[in-house]
Amino acid sequence: MNSEHQALTDVPLWLLVLLSLAGLSGEMLRASGSDLGLRQILQRVALRFLASGLLGMATLLLAMALWSNLYLSAGLGIVIAVIGADVAGGLYTQFLARKAGVSDPASGSTTNNQ
């Protein structure tokens, strides 16, 4: 097997890393401006990292199966990875707000479920 074929077989591995880093960098940037503890930052980063990696790779593999175009598939996978990480982060923030019973981040209103 020549080096070109070996590089093409390694594509999904390095794209998984790239797609996961798309979500990781976004969450690290968002968490740096808030007063969260280390545990909450690590939980949010892990959630975003895993969500972007999973959704991005699923999209990449599906697009590769449909169109067999690496560049189109990688671009679509990165876009879906970033969107998926944002959605997962937003859902997690809403879950924490409901669990704490303090406020609903979408409306800004306070809730009292006692």
Side-chain angles (χ1 to χ4, degrees):
M1 181 183 314
N2 63 18
S3 62
E4 291 172 353
H5 291 293
Q6 183 63 34
L8 287 176
T9 59
D10 291 339
V11 163
L13 178 64
W14 64 264
L15 277 175
L16 175 64
V17 172
L18 179 69
L19 294 173
S20 298
L21 287 177
L24 179 67
S25 62
E27 189 57 40
M28 297 274 295
L29 180 66
R30 186 177 298 167
S32 67
S34 62
D35 57 347
L36 297 174
L38 181 63
R39 182 173 180 224
Q40 287 89 11
I41 290 174
L42 291 177
Q43 285 175 342
R44 291 174 63 113
V45 165
L47 172 77
R48 194 169 174 110
F49 185 78
L50 294 172
S52 65
L54 178 69
L55 292 172
M57 278 307 288
T59 303
L60 171 86
L61 294 175
L62 180 64
M64 282 292 290
L66 291 175
W67 298 301
S68 298
N69 185 345
L70 179 63
Y71 295 121
L72 176 67
S73 301
L76 188 62
I78 289 171
V79 168
I80 297 298
V82 171
I83 291 171
D86 284 341
V87 168
L91 290 175
Y92 185 65
T93 302
Q94 288 180 357
F95 167 74
L96 290 179
R98 283 193 203 123
K99 186 176 176 183
V102 224
S103 66
D104 184 13
S107 66
S109 65
T110 58
T111 59
N112 192 357
N113 296 332
Q114 295 178 353

